[in-house]
Amino acid sequence: MRRYTAFLILFVAITMTGKAQLPPVFSGQRTAQSRNEETVRRYLPPVRVLWQTENADGQIKNLNTLLRKGTGQADLSGKNLCILSSKGKGKPGILLDYGKELHGGLQLITDQSRGGKPIRIRVRFGESAAEAMSDIADTAKNATNDHAMRDMIISVPWLGKLEIGNTGFRFVRIDLVDENTELKLKEVNAIFIFRDIPYLGSFKCSDTLLNKIWMTGAYTVHLNMQDYLWDGIKRDRLAWVGDMHPETSTIAAVFGYNNVVPKTMDFARDITPLPSYMNGMVSYSMWWVLIQHDWYMHNGDLTYLIQQKAYLQQLLKHYIGKIDANNSEVLNDGTRFLDWPSSENVPAVHAGLQSMLVMTLTTGAELLDLLKDSATAKQCREAVARLKKNVPDANHSKQAAAMLSLSGLMPAKKANEMISENGVHDYSTFFGYYMLQAKAKAGDYQGGINDIRNYWGPMLALGATTFWEDFNIDWLPNSSRIDELVPEGKIDIHGNYGAYCYKGFRHSLAHGWASGPTPWLTEHVLGVQVVEPGCRVIRVKPNLGDLTFAEGTFPTPYGIVKIKHIKLKNGKVETTVKAPAGVKVLR
């Protein structure tokens, strides 16, 4: 009886706290060893058949039955089956389109096969149709199984169910491997794995393209909010802290508080003992500091910030020690990195790191004031004063110009002139966010709106449903869409382009760092800026540019702020704001 009572107390405690649960046949100790993931699984049938083997008469039957909503259960009815047969000439294959980029795998429901033996099939996942059609041995287009298996041969059961895969994809190709076999498929469902959370923030304006871009950025980050916050759902599926800054800005604007942020931030901290740098990059520990500040401003969780105090103090002292007698950063004990397109421009990387060090130590001093460490805060400000005496040249880099502007080392209008040269040529999906922020600092809101249309918009025109690891406007001429097989005479934009670590099909097409337009449109067009920690005070100051209206919502710890701006015939903007109790709104 005592044992039962003790177990019941443990079971109730686990239930009440939301921690991992196992059936009561497991011991309390075993339950404590288990781990929950905060994602759900939904099963989706394909929306269309994009391709099937040519001259497959009689080899493929009832293919469209796979487009129906299934039950997820094998049965003995023998009805509504898709049949693939290799008893004739060749081996049949099909390409299925699930409509949007997803994270997860594949559920196959099979019927009875002759002989009662498993049947071998080849499964290929792809973020583009061309990737799903590619061969892992195709070194020219860099098809890989790095970080996630996307090309594999498996055996499916006789009259059963098999779930395979864990990657980012929209397309799946299935081929029979062996001759003289017949596979009866009842269902081929995508397993969609994601956090089931509401979109609390919203954005809508008179330009439907901007609306779609805002939502695409939100969805891209949502997909990467797995058990931890990832860079990409196909590749690298890792917690890259620098990549997280645009992502956490998007999360704040769309979802409000979500524990994936502090969980991933703490994970990065705990696996990076000082004086090491997060992810081995000298800039990524600086991004950790900047995220801590922004996250505190939005959520106002001082208790969480206090937990970072010891690490933050030592990290900032380490950065203070990385300034030489010429007041120049000397961050030479790790990888010097801003983003990939700027990585070979050594002077630009130096300018960016000098700027980031100013931003990090300035922000760090503000955090240390909150943590009542005035001595180290003073050291940070003294170091910033030294760094400002040495202003590097941007060396024709838009990335460097953006950071020099945001750090105050370059006048905002001068930086904007550099960023505006040649339109969106030399933009990048990661640092494009900071280029947009620099344009806003210069008051060039219309220029920012135009750049969002002209840089992120073409990805959507090419069939994207999420934003990419990188994009170059020079790739556009004669390129095919990613949601179709590459027509003769067209260029495969996925397989033929890319650079650095993302050449060809290794290129991630769902990368969270590309979501910058989402928080930018919320902050500068809808006009929401957090003034005091926890959104106790916000400012609403719209910048509509050529838009006739903008409206949306903004999540705060106190509830949802509703905002609407309408441009009147005289050019003035009429604003309506409804805020929950506890939130003061400045105009």
Side-chain angles (χ1 to χ4, degrees):
M1 183 65 183
R2 289 179 180 177
R3 288 182 181 178
Y4 174 78
T5 303
F7 181 86
L8 183 61
I9 292 171
L10 175 64
F11 181 79
V12 171
I14 290 171
T15 303
M16 294 297 290
T17 58
K19 294 181 179 179
Q21 299 178 42
L22 293 176
V25 296
F26 289 87
S27 68
Q29 180 182 4
R30 195 64 177 141
T31 296
Q33 291 174 331
S34 68
R35 178 179 61 84
N36 273 356
E37 291 194 351
E38 299 175 48
T39 51
V40 299
R41 297 156 70 91
R42 299 288 185 267
Y43 296 87
L44 301 173
V47 298
R48 63 171 175 156
V49 177
L50 186 54
W51 168 90
Q52 60 179 295
T53 311
E54 294 182 6
N55 301 318
D57 293 342
Q59 290 185 295
I60 302 175
K61 298 179 180 179
N62 303 326
L63 189 50
N64 285 336
T65 195
L66 297 179
L67 307 184
R68 299 178 180 179
K69 179 182 177 180
T71 63
Q73 176 62 50
D75 62 50
L76 298 172
S77 70
K79 296 179 180 178
N80 299 322
L81 301 175
C82 169
I83 300 174
L84 305 181
S85 173
S86 61
K87 294 180 180 180
K89 295 181 180 180
K91 302 167 187 174
I94 58 176
L95 179 65
L96 304 175
D97 177 7
Y98 289 87
K100 290 189 181 297
E101 177 94 16
L102 304 170
H103 169 257
L106 200 64
Q107 181 193 69
L108 297 125
I109 311 294
T110 60
D111 198 67
Q112 302 175 72
S113 55
R114 184 171 296 178
K117 295 181 179 180
I119 293 176
R120 294 200 305 159
I121 62 172
R122 183 181 180 186
V123 176
R124 281 175 271 186
F125 294 93
E127 293 189 297
S128 66
E131 184 182 20
M133 297 291 284
S134 70
D135 195 306
I136 201 72
D138 184 357
T139 56
K141 292 193 174 183
N142 208 23
T144 76
N145 277 335
D146 291 355
H147 301 283
M149 295 296 293
R150 54 152 297 275
D151 186 347
M152 66 197 86
I153 293 176
I154 62 167
S155 294
V156 294
W158 177 88
L159 193 61
K161 177 191 298 188
L162 180 69
E163 296 189 349
I164 61 161
N166 194 285
T167 187
F169 70 100
R170 173 177 169 178
F171 303 91
V172 174
R173 177 173 170 176
I174 299 174
D175 295 86
L176 283 185
V177 172
D178 300 311
E179 296 178 351
N180 198 33
T181 59
E182 184 179 81
L183 174 63
K184 297 179 181 179
L185 286 170
K186 181 173 180 283
E187 299 171 31
V188 182
N189 300 311
I191 308 168
F192 183 22
I193 302 174
F194 66 104
R195 286 185 178 236
D196 188 7
I197 51 178
Y199 282 54
L200 302 174
S202 63
F203 177 85
K204 183 181 179 182
C205 70
S206 54
D207 185 336
T208 56
L209 176 59
L210 292 179
N211 299 339
K212 191 172 182 181
I213 289 171
W214 187 95
M215 182 57 73
T216 303
Y219 181 63
T220 303
V221 172
H222 190 188
L223 289 181
N224 281 288
M225 295 168 69
Q226 294 298 316
D227 202 31
Y228 290 88
L229 184 55
W230 289 346
D231 57 334
I233 53 174
K234 178 184 76 175
R235 214 213 81 244
D236 293 332
R237 302 161 64 87
L238 296 173
W240 291 96
V241 179
D243 305 27
M244 286 174 56
H245 186 261
E247 292 183 298
T248 55
S249 299
T250 298
I251 290 169
V254 179
F255 305 106
Y257 178 84
N258 190 282
N259 76 324
V260 75
V261 175
K263 180 180 180 179
T264 309
M265 292 283 281
D266 290 352
F267 173 78
R269 178 200 65 203
D270 293 344
I271 64 171
T272 312
L274 295 168
S276 298
Y277 296 108
M278 293 177 182
N279 308 119
M281 297 183 179
V282 298
S283 57
Y284 274 36
S285 289
M286 289 195 271
W287 286 120
W288 185 86
V289 177
L290 297 172
I291 294 171
Q292 290 290 355
H293 173 268
D294 294 353
W295 197 244
Y296 173 71
M297 288 298 293
H298 190 274
N299 294 289
D301 188 350
L302 185 59
T303 300
Y304 176 72
L305 186 61
I306 290 171
Q307 295 170 5
Q308 317 307 317
K309 181 175 181 178
Y311 192 91
L312 180 66
Q313 288 171 316
Q314 295 306 310
L315 176 59
L316 293 171
K317 288 177 181 178
H318 173 78
Y319 277 126
I320 290 169
K322 292 298 177 179
I323 306 170
D324 68 12
N326 297 317
N327 302 314
S328 174
E329 60 84 16
V330 282
L331 292 163
N332 299 319
D333 49 347
T335 301
R336 296 170 63 81
F337 181 82
L338 299 177
D339 71 349
W340 285 113
S342 65
S343 59
E344 296 179 27
N345 189 336
V346 175
V349 172
H350 165 60
L353 293 176
Q354 184 91 350
S355 303
M356 285 199 66
L357 198 51
V358 169
M359 296 164 66
T360 299
L361 294 175
T362 300
T363 297
E366 295 175 9
L367 294 176
L368 291 172
D369 287 340
L370 291 165
L371 296 171
K372 303 189 185 306
D373 181 0
S374 57
T376 309
K378 181 181 178 183
Q379 293 175 31
C380 288
R381 293 188 172 100
E382 290 171 347
V384 168
R386 290 177 55 200
L387 289 166
K388 287 184 175 180
K389 294 177 182 179
N390 187 331
V391 179
D393 182 73
N395 200 36
H396 310 290
S397 165
K398 293 186 177 185
Q399 289 89 336
M403 302 314 284
L404 287 166
S405 172
L406 296 176
S407 65
L409 295 180
M410 178 186 283
K413 292 192 179 299
K414 180 180 178 181
N416 187 42
E417 289 174 1
M418 293 183 61
I419 295 168
S420 299
E421 289 179 6
N422 300 317
V424 293
H425 289 275
D426 302 316
Y427 252 69
S428 76
T429 52
F430 179 11
F431 262 62
Y433 180 37
Y434 309 107
M435 297 173 198
L436 293 174
Q437 291 288 55
K439 295 183 82 67
K441 187 176 180 181
D444 187 11
Y445 300 103
Q446 184 62 59
I449 291 170
N450 291 340
D451 285 359
I452 290 172
R453 290 169 172 149
N454 295 331
Y455 185 71
W456 281 268
M459 284 184 261
L460 300 183
L462 289 166
T465 60
T466 48
F467 288 132
W468 304 349
E469 183 176 11
D470 196 19
F471 178 67
N472 190 323
I473 205 75
D474 296 330
W475 298 346
L476 283 175
N478 202 37
S479 285
S480 66
R481 294 172 59 91
I482 66 168
D483 57 356
E484 64 181 16
L485 298 181
V486 181
E488 186 176 353
K490 286 277 193 176
I491 297 172
D492 179 0
I493 197 168
H494 195 188
N496 285 63
Y497 290 120
Y500 304 102
C501 69
Y502 50 87
K503 294 178 182 178
F505 292 130
R506 200 174 189 275
H507 190 182
S508 162
L509 300 190
H511 231 65
W513 72 11
S515 65
T518 299
W520 193 90
L521 289 167
T522 293
E523 180 180 357
H524 298 294
V525 175
L526 198 59
V528 184
Q529 295 182 348
V530 179
V531 177
E532 291 191 10
C535 299
R536 292 194 304 269
V537 179
I538 64 171
R539 178 176 287 109
V540 177
K541 186 179 179 182
N543 300 282
L544 297 189
D546 60 5
L547 303 172
T548 59
F549 78 90
E551 61 183 327
T553 54
F554 183 75
T556 78
Y558 299 93
I560 304 299
V561 179
K562 297 180 180 179
I563 303 163
K564 187 170 186 177
H565 310 293
I566 299 175
K567 187 181 291 183
L568 305 177
K569 291 182 178 180
N570 61 9
K572 293 183 179 180
V573 176
E574 181 181 84
T575 295
T576 304
V577 180
K578 295 181 180 179
V583 177
K584 181 180 179 181
V585 179
L586 305 178
R587 299 288 182 90

